[in-house]
Amino acid sequence: MPDQPLRTVGSSGALHDLLPIALWRENEEGRVLEWSPAAEDLLGHRPEAVLGRPARDVLVPEGDRALAEAPARRVQAGETVVGTFCARHRDGHRVTPETCILPATDGRGPRGRS
């Protein structure tokens, strides 16, 4: 692990810098609030094209919309969902990353997804 000040270990900034993981965060309505550089590299979407938009509309292939609803409901209920899910690249081809969807909380309970 590179020498990092202890105060940065575990922050999202440290994760973005140390791990090439495609991270994005959605609010409780499923709109994209945060889009990492690694997400852009993996899926081809620039932040300005996804921020504020429903992730489902941008990332879920047309034929997979019904399949995407079940994991989304589980995460909204507070579960973590791990699996391999198809996502739509900006140019239309399918990308199948290993995915971990976490409920995001604000101290009052599940309030979105990361």
Side-chain angles (χ1 to χ4, degrees):
M1 180 169 201
D3 290 334
Q4 293 283 330
L6 193 52
R7 61 185 163 69
T8 65
V9 174
S11 73
S12 62
L15 285 176
H16 287 238
D17 292 342
L18 297 174
L19 301 171
I21 296 174
L23 299 171
W24 66 87
R25 189 169 53 91
E26 302 170 20
N27 67 10
E28 58 194 51
E29 290 87 32
R31 293 186 181 278
V32 178
L33 300 175
E34 182 180 350
W35 189 255
S36 74
E40 181 179 351
D41 290 345
L42 178 66
L43 298 169
H45 299 279
R46 298 198 39 83
E48 58 271 13
V50 295
L51 292 174
R53 294 186 59 197
R56 177 192 69 238
D57 295 351
V58 178
L59 302 175
V60 179
E62 287 293 326
D64 294 349
R65 297 249 167 109
L67 292 172
E69 293 301 319
R73 282 192 304 271
R74 289 177 54 197
V75 173
Q76 284 297 102
E79 291 183 52
T80 295
V81 177
V82 178
T84 303
F85 302 98
C86 280
R88 184 175 53 221
H89 189 277
R90 181 182 52 82
D91 69 10
H93 78 272
R94 289 173 175 250
V95 178
T96 311
E98 291 182 24
T99 306
C100 180
I101 310 168
L102 307 167
T105 63
D106 64 1
R108 295 178 294 192
R111 304 292 295 180
R113 298 177 279 277
S114 292

